[in-house]
Amino acid sequence: MAGLNQYEARLRSEELRSQLNYHNYRYYVLDTPEVSDAEYDELMDELRAIEREFPELITPDSPTQRVGAEPLQAFGVVEHRLPLLSLSNCFNDEELRAWHRRASDRVGHGEFPMTSEPKIDGLAVALVYEGGTFVQGATRGDGQRGENITANLRTVKSIPLALSGSPPSRFEVRGEVYMTKSGFEAMNAERADRGEPLFANPRNAAAGAVRQLDPKVTASRPLSIYVYQLGWCDGPRPESHYEVLAWLGDMGLRPNPAARRHDTLADAADRVSWWGHQREQLDYDIDGVVLKIDDTREWDRLGVVGREPRWATAFKFPAQQRTTKLRAIHVNVGRTGALNPFAELEPVVVGGATVRMATLHNEGDIHRKDIRIGDTVIVQRAGEVIPQVVAPVTSLRKGDEQVFVMPSECPSCGTPVLKDPAEAAVYCLNTACPAQQIRLLEHFASRGAMDIEGLGERMAYTLFREGLVRDIAEVYELTVAQLAALERMGPKSAENLVAGIEKSKERPLTNVLFALGIRHVGFETARLLADHFGSLEGVLAASIDVLQEVEGIGPVVAESIASWTSRSENQDVVRRLLAAGVRPQHSPPPPSTQLLAGLTIVVTGRLETMSRNEAEDRIRELGGKVGSAITRGTDLLVVGEEAGSKLPRAAQLGVRTADEATFARLLREGRAALGESPPTA
């Protein structure tokens, strides 16, 4: 800054950092700002100017460094000094009393003080401070090891980079990163305006935001944090958990002000009941209330059973349901031609979100549940991405409700539809159907397929509406001039989209096969085809008999692939993709070790610490084999949340199962995690 020598600049930068950290605390933690946005910006601009002129004065805890780092190539691994445990669950008052009774038997007296805190539906993280400075942030991971997301967490403004008061020399605090409902809705509105895919819910949006490779992306998301517990501490600390929360707050951290201390179980139960009625009033999602024994000296004495501490539990609220009027049943057309019915509802608030549409699955499900147009229906959100119609309230029928009939013609192109006798679905067989092509283009550009950033649902619709594309191959003929002329596009966005389209030409064979949208060919099937044939031409030339020779490809999938490749219009699309420069290559990576050699593993359900594709990639990297179905040759079924039909099939065949924690140990220890020795050579 002009006119300052280095000594003066150092003093002024220290003063500015102190002021800005204080105002951050007032704004993001206490929600009571003392200066206007303009005054805050002036202070920040002055500090940036000093640091530009004297870069040696930049410190890690400077407010200017919240969005500094370049995109990371990969996240490092953090070994948690103390494991981040799961919580046992209670779903009713009787189960809560049973937990309290077990704890009181071990504590040695009937009543004991407890704290209650709303259970925020976000992403658990561990923050480490040294000398009052934030030095490390990690995800929960498998409880033992998490991802190092320090650079991303530095961008969350309610996480102080420097603490106030007299913090311990080194300690860890645990918290939940979340996104407010209002922030989520505003962010999704902006994404819709830009033609980008919308996030499903605040929890998923928050989890995805903190796991971005580019901290600048994280910084652009409306994230916040509530700290809920001290992990470990090198130094003295209060013995009451409730006092620990206040102690953390005095340092500038952000405990939830809704935390309460209760002397009796009855008082705590009343608070739980109160939250059950109040949670929709919050600007963040909660799915229950966490109760902890307040005296932390009891925690070590009570210990842990399995992966759950005896000194805490989570009272989980039931799935939220509301009733509303079913105004109409509409039908949209998917990328494979399937006609999908969905409900138009009178708007109703369910789980804190206004619901206007809900899934109805298929025609058979509608008739099985006897759902009729005009019914009062029960709508549920229970961790689902899309709300669902559970059932009609038949006692409220007036007699004028209408039975739903699937249209005999495609609502998009007018082609007669066909009901597949082997499935519940009805299909439009016209592959040139505009609705199919729009959905196919959206799928083609998605991350697991060609990964064309900026080509989402809205852009796909716009390109077809404006007549710029008629199928996926014509995407590669788009020009900057054509795109820049579109509404809300502009030259820079057009250049970025064309660059993304050009970059997609180098996508691997697995992704290209998945991108083509062949019915029954998901990502794993695409990988099996790529591994077996090694080229796009090889897949296209394969007969049904040859396709069935691929392990994991059954007759239904083989027939679907052969039917797709036999159509002249599909052959023409592939020819034009190759002519445009799409060069799908396949070179399967060799296993990094043989830790899982000889094991055939199937993954089902939703995993918390990684996607299913990531889990299957790790199995292959360690020499294991990934199965797509449960057979007598399956060695292990990894079971996540919302597991489907594979779980009872595994029980029927006597196949071993493993939860996510055991799977994490398996990836570290191999067969030893299952109590086995590695196979001999």
Side-chain angles (χ1 to χ4, degrees):
M1 188 173 178
L4 293 181
N5 59 37
Q6 188 174 39
Y7 175 73
E8 292 170 330
R10 180 174 61 79
L11 293 180
R12 180 57 178 159
S13 65
E14 290 175 355
E15 180 182 9
L16 288 168
R17 280 193 290 271
S18 177
Q19 291 179 18
L20 287 164
N21 283 330
Y22 171 76
H23 291 308
N24 278 335
Y25 176 67
R26 299 290 306 184
Y27 187 92
Y28 293 106
V29 178
L30 300 183
D31 293 323
T32 55
E34 293 182 347
V35 295
S36 67
D37 290 349
E39 290 170 319
Y40 179 91
D41 290 342
E42 288 175 4
L43 296 173
M44 181 68 81
D45 290 342
E46 183 181 354
L47 179 58
R48 286 197 180 103
I50 292 175
E51 292 182 346
R52 277 196 302 270
E53 186 170 348
F54 302 94
E56 66 274 17
L57 298 181
I58 298 175
T59 62
D61 63 341
S62 174
T64 64
Q65 300 305 296
R66 286 192 183 271
V67 193
E70 288 300 310
L72 302 175
Q73 295 304 308
F75 295 116
V77 175
V78 171
E79 297 278 351
H80 296 304
R81 180 163 148 184
L82 287 180
L84 275 73
L85 301 170
S86 303
L87 290 174
S88 62
N89 292 325
C90 302
F91 294 95
N92 52 53
D93 290 342
E94 181 178 347
E95 292 178 359
L96 177 60
R97 286 193 295 270
W99 169 80
H100 185 272
R101 185 166 54 251
R102 291 192 299 271
S104 64
D105 288 344
R106 290 178 175 272
V107 170
H109 44 87
E111 291 284 5
F112 45 80
M114 291 174 284
T115 60
S116 68
E117 300 168 66
K119 186 176 182 296
I120 296 174
D121 195 13
L123 182 77
V125 297
L127 315 176
V128 176
Y129 286 83
E130 289 183 2
T133 300
F134 175 53
V135 296
Q136 180 180 278
T139 62
R140 177 185 180 276
D142 63 6
Q144 302 288 340
R145 304 192 312 165
E147 292 175 315
N148 188 332
I149 55 170
T150 307
N152 290 346
L153 291 179
R154 291 173 67 84
T155 73
V156 179
K157 294 182 176 64
S158 50
I159 296 178
L161 302 181
L163 300 179
S164 56
S166 301
S169 60
R170 194 166 186 266
F171 72 103
E172 178 204 76
V173 63
R174 294 166 181 185
E176 198 85 6
V177 173
Y178 67 95
M179 189 176 290
T180 61
K181 297 174 186 174
S182 56
F184 170 77
E185 291 172 2
M187 182 186 66
N188 258 356
E190 292 172 1
R191 293 178 69 85
D193 288 341
R194 296 193 296 265
E196 298 173 348
L198 303 186
F199 290 105
N201 53 57
R203 196 267 175 201
N204 288 357
V210 298
R211 298 186 71 252
Q212 294 289 324
L213 292 180
D214 186 350
K216 293 184 177 66
V217 177
T218 308
S220 70
R221 307 283 170 80
L223 298 176
S224 195
I225 191 173
Y226 277 129
V227 297
Y228 59 78
Q229 189 173 307
L230 186 67
W232 48 265
C233 178
D234 294 338
R237 44 162 289 178
E239 293 174 344
S240 157
H241 173 62
Y242 187 70
E243 292 173 7
V244 164
L245 295 177
W247 179 62
L248 294 173
D250 290 341
M251 297 181 204
L253 291 156
R254 191 174 184 244
N256 196 319
R260 294 291 185 272
R261 188 176 186 274
H262 311 281
D263 289 327
T264 66
L265 174 61
D267 186 29
D270 286 344
R271 183 68 172 177
V272 169
S273 177
W274 181 85
W275 273 119
H277 295 94
Q278 293 295 318
R279 57 175 166 153
E280 289 187 12
Q281 310 305 316
L282 295 170
D283 195 29
Y284 53 87
D285 285 331
I286 67 172
D287 58 2
V289 179
V290 175
L291 297 171
K292 298 173 185 170
I293 294 178
D294 189 57
D295 188 347
T296 59
R297 293 172 298 182
E298 299 285 3
W299 292 9
D300 289 338
R301 195 152 67 87
L302 287 169
V304 175
V305 54
R307 300 169 60 224
E308 302 169 352
R310 291 189 177 96
W311 41 265
T313 193
F315 190 105
K316 298 294 288 289
F317 294 133
Q320 289 198 294
Q321 296 181 339
R322 292 292 184 270
T323 58
T324 189
K325 186 70 72 175
L326 174 58
R327 288 177 170 174
I329 296 178
H330 303 288
V331 175
N332 63 26
V333 183
R335 62 179 172 84
T336 63
L339 273 61
N340 306 304
F342 65 94
E344 178 191 341
L345 307 168
E346 285 188 1
V348 61
V349 176
V350 186
T354 301
V355 174
R356 295 178 174 85
M357 305 290 178
T359 183
L360 289 167
H361 299 297
N362 55 57
E363 183 184 21
D365 193 57
I366 293 171
H367 294 321
R368 181 178 60 80
K369 294 177 179 177
D370 191 22
I371 296 170
R372 304 179 186 181
I373 300 167
D375 267 336
T376 297
V377 294
I378 300 170
V379 182
Q380 175 174 292
R381 286 179 74 239
E384 301 289 335
V385 174
I386 302 173
Q388 59 181 304
V389 175
V390 178
V393 184
T394 55
S395 61
L396 296 180
R397 281 182 176 162
K398 299 177 180 178
D400 57 353
E401 293 79 12
Q402 302 171 33
V403 174
F404 171 72
V405 178
M406 184 69 79
S408 59
E409 296 180 347
C410 172
S412 176
C413 67
T415 302
V417 299
L418 175 69
K419 184 167 185 177
D420 188 332
E423 301 181 28
V426 174
Y427 287 89
C428 167
L429 300 181
N430 176 18
T431 56
C433 170
Q436 287 187 54
Q437 289 298 322
I438 291 171
R439 293 284 178 261
L440 177 58
L441 178 54
E442 182 186 349
H443 167 77
F444 182 80
S446 64
R447 181 172 296 181
M450 303 304 281
D451 194 19
I452 304 175
E453 187 173 352
L455 211 174
E457 179 180 2
R458 178 169 294 193
M459 179 55 66
Y461 174 78
T462 300
L463 293 174
F464 273 88
R465 183 192 64 196
E466 299 298 323
L468 295 180
V469 300
R470 290 168 298 176
D471 57 39
I472 56 177
E474 290 190 352
V475 167
Y476 293 93
E477 300 173 14
L478 291 169
T479 66
V480 172
Q482 288 175 317
L483 294 170
L486 297 175
E487 186 180 358
R488 297 181 180 178
M489 195 63 180
K492 185 61 178 176
S493 296
E495 290 173 6
N496 290 340
L497 180 51
V498 169
I501 292 170
E502 183 66 25
K503 182 181 177 182
S504 73
K505 293 178 180 179
E506 304 296 331
R507 291 291 278 171
L509 177 58
T510 297
N511 302 87
V512 174
L513 286 169
F514 176 58
L516 293 175
I518 303 171
R519 190 175 166 196
H520 298 313
V521 177
F523 192 86
E524 179 57 32
T525 300
R527 189 195 302 276
L528 294 174
L529 293 169
D531 288 344
H532 186 86
F533 293 102
S535 70
L536 184 57
E537 293 81 358
V539 176
L540 296 177
S543 65
I544 291 180
D545 291 339
V546 171
L547 287 165
Q548 288 191 72
E549 292 175 2
V550 181
E551 189 169 358
I553 303 291
V556 172
V557 177
E559 183 178 351
S560 176
I561 297 168
S563 174
W564 190 95
T565 59
S566 68
R567 294 178 191 151
S568 59
E569 62 269 26
N570 293 332
Q571 295 170 4
D572 180 61
V573 165
V574 172
R575 178 187 59 76
R576 288 187 288 123
L577 286 173
L578 296 175
V582 175
R583 294 176 288 273
Q585 302 297 320
H586 185 65
S587 52
S592 58
T593 73
Q594 293 298 313
L595 198 62
L596 301 183
L599 290 178
T600 298
I601 303 172
V602 176
V603 182
T604 187
R606 174 176 52 80
L607 302 179
E608 290 291 333
T609 58
M610 64 184 77
S611 69
R612 190 182 302 184
N613 285 342
E614 289 170 335
E616 292 173 346
D617 284 343
R618 290 286 290 130
I619 293 169
R620 293 186 188 90
E621 289 170 7
L622 299 176
K625 180 180 176 182
V626 175
S628 58
I630 299 296
T631 69
R632 297 191 183 279
T634 304
D635 296 296
L636 185 70
L637 174 65
V638 177
V639 182
E641 296 293 328
E642 301 171 13
S645 59
K646 291 185 176 67
L647 189 56
R649 176 64 173 166
Q652 180 183 0
L653 295 180
V655 173
R656 286 183 299 182
T657 61
D659 61 13
E660 192 167 354
T662 303
F663 178 58
R665 289 198 304 274
L666 183 71
L667 297 179
R668 295 196 303 269
E669 304 168 10
R671 290 175 179 265
L674 304 176
E676 296 182 0
S677 301
T680 56

